[in-house]
Amino acid sequence: GMQSHLQALLSLYKLFCPEQVTITLPGKMKTYFKNSEGPWKAAITAVRQRNKGSSPLTQAVFLGTAQPQSRKRKWNAQLVIPASSANTNHLEENREKCFYPYSTNKSFPVEQLHTFPQLLRNIHHLEFPSQMGSVLTNPLLLHYMNCVKDETIYLRLYYWMGQMLQEECTWCVVDNPCEEEFKSFLETIYKAECFLQEGFSACEEFLYKTLPLWDGFCCRSEVLRLVSWIPLSSFSDIKSHLFDPLAQLFFTSSLYFKCSVLESLKELLQNWLNGNAIQVDSESSS
């Protein structure tokens, strides 16, 4: 017999190939298949609305199976990277103390970390902040990440940064008007990558997901700077996720945009060569 899910499947076939379905189907039935063109239509409409100068849409679009919902902000809320905050119950007790390596087993809270000599003395007892976003704006903690290759730190930063990029992206979540805040956030990530001399994996995944939806205008300089720190991988991945989306914009954009893309790709090649040279030197010395 005609079951509801079979009727829905046949109605989908009839929508695209009506000559293949000759039976009569009910006009009203439950929707079993979402429209796959929804995100693209919403993105096109958002660009049209932006060009007309009217208010942006209240529909989230994101390249992928799931469409993330933008965070509900208060009227005075801003995108702010949190300050350093250690997860300790004895912060007040230890505020006046100074810890030295191998002299005590107590941890050293990041609130008391102000100078590079302090970092050297307490590097084995440093308690990392509970809010990983504060690492991006703290040179001493970035030094710590360079010296101590702790996978837990990178994993925590990966999850936090990936979530923030997904929620705040102004061309994927089109009801988010705070472009200047997002620009500042991308600039902070870029400065941290320059300090560490390597790109963040969360940032790489964000670029690969959102470049096909990017209009080449929103946060242009910040996005192209982040592109220059994408790590080296297989050519097929880079071509499909990076070169193809940029090529579509390259051939339809202004001369300034073309020069900006070429400059970004030149810096990307330089970073690959420098990283490979450092790796070869370390292997030869070992």
Side-chain angles (χ1 to χ4, degrees), residues 241-253:
H241 293 119
L242 176 63
F243 294 154
D244 289 348
L246 287 179
Q248 294 181 8
L249 294 171
F250 185 87
F251 293 115
T252 58
S253 299

Side-chain angles (χ1 to χ4, degrees), residues 80-284:
V80 179
I81 296 179
S84 300
S85 175
N87 185 18
T88 177
N89 297 325
H90 307 287
L91 179 59
E92 296 298 329
E93 300 176 5
N94 300 331
R95 190 170 297 278
E96 302 299 327
K97 298 180 181 180
C98 184
F99 303 102
Y100 294 90
Y102 310 114
S103 63
T104 178
N105 291 326
K106 294 183 178 180
S107 60
F108 185 83
V110 293
E111 285 83 353
Q112 300 181 24
L113 185 64
H114 303 293
T115 63
F116 192 73
Q118 276 185 318
L119 175 65
L120 295 180
R121 291 195 300 266
N122 303 284
I123 195 169
H124 296 287
H125 304 277
L126 186 65
E127 182 180 4
F128 234 63
S130 56
Q131 295 178 304
M132 290 305 298
S134 60
V135 175
L136 298 177
T137 55
N138 192 320
L140 295 176
L141 296 182
L142 291 176
H143 274 301
Y144 179 87
M145 288 181 62
N146 257 340
C147 296
V148 181
K149 297 298 182 180
D150 188 349
E151 291 298 327
T152 304
I153 297 173
Y154 283 92
L155 191 60
R156 289 177 58 196
L157 191 60
Y158 165 80
Y159 284 121
W160 176 84
M161 187 182 298
Q163 186 69 19
M164 292 294 293
L165 288 170
Q166 178 174 313
E167 290 180 348
E168 302 296 337
C169 179
T170 52
W171 64 88
C172 289
V173 182
V174 294
D175 61 345
N176 183 1
C178 304
E179 182 175 343
E180 292 302 319
E181 294 181 14
F182 189 59
K183 280 185 178 180
S184 177
F185 182 52
L186 296 182
E187 183 67 21
T188 300
I189 295 176
Y190 170 73
K191 291 179 179 178
E193 289 181 333
C194 292
F195 190 97
L196 296 171
Q197 290 294 293
E198 63 177 331
F200 294 109
S201 56
C203 188
E204 177 192 7
E205 292 183 6
F206 164 74
L207 290 173
Y208 284 168
K209 268 187 177 179
T210 59
L211 280 179
L213 288 176
W214 186 46
D215 58 4
F217 177 78
C218 182
C219 307
R220 175 191 295 164
S221 59
E222 290 77 16
V223 171
L224 292 179
R225 286 175 182 174
L226 293 179
V227 166
S228 65
W229 280 111
I230 290 179
L232 179 62
S233 58
S234 65
F235 176 76
S236 59
D237 292 340
I238 295 176
K239 182 181 183 302
S240 60
H241 293 119
L242 176 63
F243 294 154
D244 289 348
L246 287 179
Q248 294 181 8
L249 294 171
F250 185 87
F251 293 115
T252 58
S253 299
S254 63
L255 180 62
Y256 177 78
F257 181 83
K258 289 180 172 65
C259 295
S260 301
V261 171
L262 293 176
E263 177 68 19
S264 175
L265 295 180
K266 185 197 74 171
E267 294 177 359
L268 176 63
L269 180 59
Q270 288 178 341
N271 291 333
W272 284 349
L273 293 174
N274 291 334
N276 186 66
I278 294 174
Q279 182 179 359
V280 170
D281 290 340
S282 62
E283 290 177 354
S284 60

